[in-house]
Amino acid sequence: MIPLPQVSQVAQTIQLALAPVFLLAGIGAFLNVCVSRLARIIDRARAVEEWVLSTRGKEHDRMVSEIRVLDRRMSVVNGAIFLSVASACAVCLVVILLFAGNLFNAHLGTPVAILFSLAMVLQAAAFGTFIQEIRLASRTIHIRNEVLYHKVEEEEEAA
């Protein structure tokens, strides 16, 4: 029979588990940002898909180029989401091991440290991937010169 832990031991384990739980909240907020960006990219891609089918010439080439970048951005954001979820899973395992170690009086310090380090590496990779998506977006979001320097012709002004 497994000896039941004292309330004070459980309270101490809960205190130890608070930091990883706060980390989970932060990862959740980051996932919310990533999913929001993914939704906006998908919305833009759907609009551009329609324009690709209805445009010709330079405008068509510009739309095809944009949809390729949007496709790449979707893949990159999905990568960031995957890495963040993997990090969150590792953090959950850390919390589980903290409680298991307390409940079974096992020495699980090494696996906890390894899993927590893995969670941090995965989250750092997710942030790096997110930076890559931001750079992709900022490189492609420019107002074309023909729009920036567009002048209304005199005929249109007279009308």
Side-chain angles (χ1 to χ4, degrees), residues 150-159:
H150 178 75
K151 293 184 180 178
V152 178
E153 295 181 21
E154 290 180 26
E155 292 176 13
E156 291 178 10
E157 288 177 9

Side-chain angles (χ1 to χ4, degrees), residues 30 34 76-87 117-133:
F30 178 70
C34 287
V76 173
V77 170
N78 276 323
I81 291 170
F82 172 81
L83 290 167
S84 285
V85 169
S87 175
S117 297
L118 176 65
M120 291 294 93
V121 167
L122 288 167
Q123 193 57 45
F127 289 145
T129 305
F130 187 68
I131 289 171
Q132 182 184 7
E133 192 278 325

Side-chain angles (χ1 to χ4, degrees), residues 38-76:
L38 181 60
R40 296 197 63 194
I41 294 166
I42 290 169
D43 290 344
R44 177 69 181 163
R46 287 181 179 151
V48 173
E49 277 178 352
E50 291 178 17
W51 296 332
V52 164
L53 299 174
S54 64
T55 57
R56 299 286 179 259
K58 282 186 174 183
E59 190 67 15
H60 174 77
D61 295 343
R62 193 175 70 78
M63 289 296 136
V64 169
S65 175
E66 183 175 347
I67 204 150
R68 286 181 181 149
V69 172
L70 290 168
D71 184 61
R72 177 75 181 126
R73 286 179 61 197
M74 277 188 249
S75 297
V76 173

